[in-house]
Structure formats: structure tokens, C-alpha cells
Amino acid sequence: MRDPAHATGTTLTIDLDAVVANYRLLSATAPGAECAGVVKANGYGLGAAPVVRALAAAGCRTFFVAHLGEALAIRGIVPDATIAVLNGAAPGAEGEFAAHGLLPVLNSLEAVAAWTAEGERAGAPLPAILHVDTGMSRLGLSDDELDRVAADPSLLDGVALKWLMSHLAVAEAPEHPLNAEQRARFGAVRARLPVMPASLANSSGIFLGPDYHYDLVRPGASLYGVNPRPGAANAVQHVVRLEAPILQLRSIGSPRTVGYGATHGVTGATKIATIPVGYADGYLRSLSNRGHAFLGRHKIPVVGRVSMDLVTLDVTAVPEAEARPGAMVEVISERNTVDAVGAAAGSMGYEILTGLGARYARRYVGASA
Ligand SMILES: *Cc1c(COP(=O)(O)O)cnc(C)c1O
């Protein structure tokens, strides 16, 4: 395929040294635990292969993805690493998990039984992670299932459990009582099950303190620059930079409106810059009349609706020498972080990252690239 940069000039720069620095910081914040790398959803949109390569070089030995296909995509890059699949094995896919040495996260007793059967075919119990629900009400063994296992521990004899895990619902809000409740429930579950290493913390969970670290921490978003402690100074480095050239400038003299729906009115002399980024690229439509970008040192607001392939920005206050066709607009950067763009969109940094479009030319920088 032709490099999309030739068509648009829009560039997404991904700093792999920043990813590595973030991995090191997170590891150091949980010194007693192993630090895994969560690389689901194509490495949170940044590209699973380059991210996994960089993390592996930094010493990461355990990776989490959501789907079998995501695990297969990185298996060849890290042939000796532990790769765990959060959504588990779909019925019938167990053989493929075993063939590629993948660890399913066992989210139910049915999954335990299916993985037990796969172990019988293989001649020995196969490694896996047992997930218990302590407050997400999503995946993992329910209270009823735990009662059944506690009454008959032999239900787990056919699987080689490497970790017991659970997942925090509100780790980014340290004062929320559910954090301590989930930790207490996790402790109670551990006491009812055979002794095995444990894992509870995602990115924000790491910052809840050592009580939450156990044996393995599972950061994702913070590796990629999302602030794990919203409201506090961001401890991790920004990773992505999105720049797009001005395609065209429109000088408006008489009253007009800008864009679909005529949601932005212009009365006096106004200059509008149009850039080749749209909601089809993951620049959310909810940023219409709400987002902003930077042109040099000037903060420029998004005016009018975000359309599929274009965004319009008000550059009236920018000198002509700077606001010219071809000038690069900073759409996402250290000055306008994924967290800030997410907040302006009524969303969060996670959705901005995982939505980063396929039409951008991607450039990986840093010694780890
Ligand atoms: C996505 C995910 C993580 C990583 O969460 P972040 O908030 O991105 O650090 C950890 N554990 C589970 C079960 C997940 O689904």
C-alpha cells in the first residue's frame, strides 16, 4: 500500500524510549512485583509489534492481550515470553492456545474444565491464570463458582495455575471505598484457594501502594502516556505526537457558518485552517467546537463540526507567516496530551489512543525503535 503520509502529510510519532522509560518507572513503583506489559488492542493503538519489541528489550517477560489473534501476532516476536489472553479461549480454540504456548485467562468454571481437557490431551496440566470477580461484574469466577471450588478444590487439579488475578474498577480514584473492598474480597478469595502468586493492579492500581502490588502488576495505558493518577502530576512520559499540515486557509469577511450543521457562526474577519484529520481517523466528533490544537505557540480552537476527513480550526489570531498552507498543526502532543484531548471529547486518553487512525504515517523514534 502506498504510504498514507504521501497522501495527507499527517504524521503520528511514537516515542518508544518513552514507553521504555514508563515501563521502568512502573516497575520501580512496584519493586516487589514482576511488571507485565498489557499490549491489547494493538498496543493501545500504537502498534503491538514495535511496543512488544521495546518492552521485551527492557526486560518485560509477561504480556497481556485480549484476543487469541493478538497473541498470535506477537508470539513470533517474543517466542519465550509468557503471553496471556484476557478474554480466554473461545470454546474449540484451546488446541491453538496449547500449540502456541499461550496462557488463557480462565474466566469461568467451564473455561477451567475446557483447559483441563486440553491438558489431558497434552498429557499434563497446562499453565493458565485464574480470574476471580471482586467487583467488576464482568469476567471472572462469580461468588457461586468460588463456593463450588472452595467446596471441591479438586476442580482446579487439572490446570497449572500460574497466577490468581482480579481487576480493579476504580483504581484511578484512590479515595473510592471500592478499592479497599476489592482488595479485601481478593484476600478472602486467596484464603479459600490453593496458594499461588497473585495479580490485582492495572496502571492506576500500582499507585494505590504496595498492598495492591502482589506478585505481578499489569499496566497498560500508563506505558503509553496516560496519567495513572488523574488530577495529580503525570508521573509517566508522553508517548504520541500527532501533526497535520494545513490543507487550506479560508479568509471570511461577511457573516458565515463553518462546517456541517452550521454549528459555528462567524461575524467579523476570520481565518479558518483546515487539516486532514477527521473522525474516521479517531479524532472524535465530540471534539466539534470543543477541541483545540497548537500552531507554533498559538492555541487554536476547533470550530464547527469534526467531519469524516477534516477538522476546521480558527487561526484568526495567528500571524500570516505562521498560518499558511503546509504549516504543521500539533493535534496531540505534550502540550495537548491524550488525556486532555480525551477530556475535551467527553471521553478519556484510553479511547483517543486506541482510536488513533490507520491513515496516519507512523514514525517510531528512540533508540528502542
Ligand atoms: C486492560 C486491562 C489492564 C490494563 O489496564 P490499564 O488501566 O490500561 O493499565 C489490566 N488488567 C486487565 C484485566 C485489563 O483488562
Side-chain angles (χ1 to χ4, degrees):
M1 197 178 94
R2 196 169 165 211
D3 184 340
H6 293 251
T8 72
T10 305
T11 306
L12 180 68
T13 305
I14 294 152
D15 184 349
L16 293 174
D17 284 353
V19 174
V20 165
N22 294 341
Y23 177 76
R24 297 213 165 105
L25 176 104
L26 295 161
S27 301
T29 307
E34 180 188 342
C35 189
V38 181
V39 297
K40 60 194 180 189
N42 194 28
Y44 285 53
L46 304 192
V51 163
V52 165
R53 249 181 239 116
L55 290 175
C60 184
R61 310 187 305 280
T62 301
F63 296 89
F64 282 86
V65 294
H67 294 271
L68 170 61
E70 295 177 337
L72 296 177
I74 61 168
R75 183 34 109 197
I77 301 170
V78 280
D80 302 320
T82 297
I83 302 177
V85 179
L86 290 163
N87 288 3
E94 292 86 4
E96 211 167 348
F97 273 68
H100 294 277
L102 305 173
L103 269 67
V105 171
L106 304 175
N107 288 311
S108 66
L109 285 182
E110 288 77 55
V112 170
W115 197 237
T116 297
E118 191 57 38
E120 280 162 6
R121 283 189 283 276
L126 293 166
I129 299 177
L130 185 66
H131 184 191
V132 294
D133 180 12
T134 57
M136 279 292 279
S137 307
R138 199 173 64 170
L139 298 178
L141 268 63
S142 65
D143 292 347
D144 284 354
E145 288 180 302
L146 275 166
D147 288 343
R148 283 162 61 194
V149 172
D152 180 7
S154 74
L155 286 172
L156 300 179
D157 284 353
V159 291
L161 294 178
K162 197 163 170 173
W163 287 288
L164 178 72
M165 72 165 245
S166 193
H167 192 42
L168 296 167
V170 289
E172 68 289 348
E175 70 292 346
H176 198 295
L178 184 53
N179 289 311
E181 273 171 46
Q182 285 197 263
R183 194 181 160 275
R185 286 180 202 148
F186 194 49
V189 169
R190 289 183 78 203
R192 300 176 78 190
L193 294 179
V195 175
M196 70 184 100
S199 176
L200 181 62
N202 66 337
S203 294
S204 297
I206 292 172
F207 292 88
L208 294 176
D211 285 353
Y212 289 80
H213 294 165
Y214 297 94
D215 303 291
L216 178 78
V217 293
R218 310 187 306 268
S222 57
L223 291 170
Y224 315 111
V226 169
N227 187 351
R229 293 174 302 170
N234 194 353
V236 299
Q237 296 182 23
H238 203 63
V239 172
V240 299
R241 183 177 175 84
L242 177 64
E243 294 163 291
I246 295 179
L247 275 184
Q248 202 169 37
L249 281 160
R250 168 76 68 257
S251 288
I252 305 174
S254 47
R256 286 287 173 92
T257 60
V258 180
Y260 287 121
T263 61
H264 179 74
V266 165
T267 50
T270 303
K271 261 188 318 184
I272 302 293
T274 300
I275 59 172
V277 170
Y279 59 75
D281 302 297
Y283 195 82
L284 302 179
R285 190 166 173 274
S286 55
L287 289 161
S288 300
N289 291 309
R290 291 183 62 184
H292 70 267
F294 283 91
L295 181 52
R297 62 188 171 79
H298 309 276
K299 184 173 173 176
I300 52 176
V302 172
V303 291
R305 289 242 173 98
V306 171
S307 47
M308 188 184 293
D309 316 300
L310 299 167
V311 169
T312 40
L313 300 135
D314 189 327
V315 294
T316 310
V318 183
E320 225 158 285
E322 292 175 70
R324 52 185 166 70
M328 293 304 272
V329 171
E330 229 176 85
V331 182
I332 300 174
S333 66
E334 233 161 316
R335 287 192 285 183
N336 196 20
T337 63
V338 290
D339 294 313
V341 174
S347 176
M348 66 202 304
Y350 288 68
E351 193 176 14
I352 301 302
L353 283 177
T354 55
L356 285 168
R359 296 190 292 187
Y360 303 140
R362 287 170 178 242
R363 204 163 64 89
Y364 293 92
V365 299
S368 314

